[in-house]
Amino acid sequence: MNPAQPFHSGAHATTSSKAQVAVHKPLLPRLSQYATVALVALFALFLVLVATLAVYGATRSEKAYAGVSIAGVDVSGQSRSEISARVDSSFYEYQQQPVALVANGETFVTSLQNLGVTIDKDATIERAMNYGRSGSFWDRS
């Protein structure tokens, strides 16, 4: 008999040690199962996120992404032809704004259109359409 251990009857000690094994043994497999379920759930969530981004990009292949604007004009979700019409109408209004030029004490009022101010519409539309479509997958998302 070991003096450091309290006295137990043989039957009680055997039952007690089996009970401890029964209580502690299943705990590790349960934690492992929970961890596996959590990792599978996180991986599934990641796959759903990646798939969502891919579907969003595929459905917007011919349209400007959300949040894209040209000189303050929102062109989100619009096609090239729709953007072209918006740029034409918005820039026409901008070109008609009066501009006052002062030289040698004289004031001259004219419009930007009369001054020959133009916009490279094709390049502007191209930049709007390409916004968010260049770089790595992570940059684009």
Side-chain angles (χ1 to χ4, degrees):
M1 179 164 158
N2 186 351
Q5 294 180 346
F7 174 75
H8 294 288
S9 70
H12 184 266
T14 304
T15 305
S16 174
S17 65
K18 285 182 182 177
Q20 287 178 349
V21 170
V23 169
H24 293 294
K25 190 173 183 180
L27 183 61
L28 186 58
R30 275 190 294 171
L31 288 176
S32 177
Q33 288 173 345
Y34 292 144
T36 302
V37 168
L39 284 174
V40 168
L42 282 175
F43 185 69
L45 183 63
F46 174 75
L47 288 178
V48 167
L49 177 66
V50 169
T52 301
L53 291 173
V55 167
Y56 179 80
T59 60
R60 300 288 181 173
S61 64
E62 297 298 321
K63 297 184 178 200
Y65 284 150
V68 176
S69 63
I70 298 173
V73 177
D74 184 26
V75 295
S76 301
Q78 296 181 0
S79 67
R80 288 180 188 275
S81 60
E82 292 169 328
I83 293 172
S84 179
R86 292 286 305 265
V87 167
D88 285 341
S89 66
S90 297
F91 191 67
Y92 178 78
E93 292 173 14
Y94 179 71
Q95 281 183 315
Q96 302 310 311
Q97 295 295 318
V99 176
L101 302 172
V102 180
N104 294 331
E106 291 187 55
T107 302
F108 303 94
V109 178
T110 187
S111 68
L112 292 174
Q113 185 176 20
N114 290 339
L115 293 174
V117 175
T118 61
I119 184 173
D120 187 350
K121 184 171 70 170
D122 293 333
T124 302
I125 293 170
E126 193 64 31
R127 283 190 73 184
M129 292 300 291
N130 287 334
Y131 185 80
R133 289 182 167 92
S134 61
S136 70
F137 177 78
W138 296 112
D139 291 339
R140 292 188 315 261
S141 61

